[in-house]
Amino acid sequence: MGKSGLIIGLVVALVFTFSSYWFSDKIAIKAARGQPVSEAQMPDYYAVVRDLCTRSGLPMPRLYVTPDAQPNAFATGRNPDHAAVAVTQGILQICTWDEMRGVLAHEMSHVGNRDILISSVAATVAMAITLLARFAAWGGLFMGGNRRDEGENMFELLALIILAPLAAMLLQMALSRSREYEADRSGARMIGTGEPLASALAKLDSYSRQIPMPGVHKEMAGLYIMNPLAGMKNVSFSKWFSDHPPTADRIARLRSQEWAK
């Protein structure tokens, strides 16, 4: 059962995650209600991103604006040639263009670091582990019959059902937090300073707790530079279950020049 369950779990996870990965830009932009903007409409937006592309050697992504009042931003796309960057109306209202430079350098770093691919692989592994645990557990429940002498018991099966998916989720969340730290570091290196992003993060953290984004899909929350669900009640009770690092830690790292090491 273990081997066949693993194969089934991997196939299901791969099919589901591959489609999400391959069409990640279209799915994310549509879900966020992003609208494309031209250079004539937003010359500063284009000028900042074009400068970042020159610095990093990345191709120019497609640029979007979403109607959300919460200040936030995200990047998506299966590779640099199919990347898209979106900012909310809210972030354009509270951040200076110097702060936006830090935010957009962070997002372009996600593109350059292939974080959509990394997160997709992590999601596949987590889903496969979860499915395997459930297949194995249910197989034990329905085929265990009179196997008490072999040491099988309900507690072991419940532990398998609960702990394996929990461990997979914790590992996925830890990876997501590490990619955010790395994008902060890469973005600061791209522009030669961490202060613009640190200043922007302080604003985003404060406003995101006051202005909720209830329409965002939970599965998309990890894409954003700031957790878009932070303003909603009972979203997370522990940093271990968050896909974003504590904002205070991110700001401290940026201002301590750790990114330059």
Side-chain angles (χ1 to χ4, degrees), residues 108-124:
M108 291 303 295
S109 291
H110 276 309
V111 173
N113 295 340
R114 303 295 182 102
D115 283 336
I116 297 299
L117 173 60
I118 294 172
S119 62
S120 296
V121 172
T124 301

Side-chain angles (χ1 to χ4, degrees), residues 2-12:
K3 185 176 180 180
S4 61
L6 177 60
I7 293 173
I8 294 172
L10 282 173
V11 169
V12 173

Side-chain angles (χ1 to χ4, degrees), residues 1 38 46 56 58 63 101 127 150 185 193 206 234 255 257:
M1 180 65 186
S38 67
Y46 271 80
S56 63
L58 292 169
L63 302 185
R101 188 167 64 112
M127 191 182 301
E150 297 181 23
R185 181 182 299 110
T193 174
S206 175
N234 302 320
R255 287 179 170 162
Q257 303 292 309

Side-chain angles (χ1 to χ4, degrees), residues 25-247:
D25 54 337
K26 296 179 176 61
I27 293 171
I29 293 299
K30 184 174 182 179
R33 297 166 296 153
Q35 294 297 318
V37 291
S38 67
E39 189 166 5
Q41 290 173 305
M42 299 192 67
D44 290 332
Y45 191 3
Y46 271 80
V48 170
V49 175
R50 186 171 285 111
D51 174 66
L52 296 174
C53 290
T54 300
R55 291 169 180 266
S56 63
L58 292 169
M60 188 74 180
R62 301 188 309 281
L63 302 185
Y64 294 84
V65 174
T66 78
D68 301 288
Q70 184 188 98
N72 226 317
F74 69 86
T76 185
R78 64 182 184 270
N79 57 44
D81 291 321
H82 296 84
V85 173
V87 298
T88 67
Q89 288 286 357
I91 198 173
L92 294 172
Q93 293 174 9
I94 70 164
C95 286
T96 67
W97 277 108
D98 187 53
E99 291 168 335
M100 288 297 297
R101 188 167 64 112
V103 169
L104 292 168
H106 170 100
E107 297 306 334
M108 291 303 295
S109 291
H110 276 309
V111 173
N113 295 340
R114 303 295 182 102
D115 283 336
I116 297 299
L117 173 60
I118 294 172
S119 62
S120 296
V121 172
T124 301
V125 173
M127 191 182 301
I129 291 173
T130 300
L131 289 172
L132 174 59
R134 289 175 180 171
F135 289 148
W138 286 113
L141 284 173
F142 289 106
M143 295 189 292
N146 298 317
R147 297 175 62 186
R148 293 182 180 179
D149 294 340
E150 297 181 23
E152 288 196 2
N153 58 67
M154 187 65 68
F155 294 105
E156 291 176 346
L157 293 175
L158 287 175
L160 183 61
I161 293 173
I162 296 170
L163 296 182
L166 179 61
M169 181 182 71
L170 288 174
L171 288 173
Q172 191 176 3
M173 295 299 98
L175 177 62
S176 178
R177 292 192 298 271
S178 73
R179 301 317 301 167
E180 288 300 313
Y181 279 132
E182 181 57 34
D184 286 350
R185 181 182 299 110
S186 300
R189 286 177 177 170
M190 191 184 298
I191 61 176
T193 174
E195 184 54 35
L197 179 55
S199 178
L201 287 175
K203 288 183 179 181
L204 299 185
D205 184 66
S206 175
Y207 279 88
S208 65
R209 297 178 188 279
Q210 301 173 44
I211 306 173
M213 197 189 289
V216 70
H217 295 273
K218 185 177 180 181
E219 294 77 11
M220 271 191 61
L223 283 179
Y224 287 84
I225 190 170
M226 186 67 57
N227 185 357
L229 305 176
M232 302 178 69
K233 301 295 184 182
N234 302 320
V235 172
S236 176
F237 55 87
S238 169
K239 68 178 183 179
W240 303 109
F241 292 90
S242 174
D243 46 21
H244 288 74
T247 304

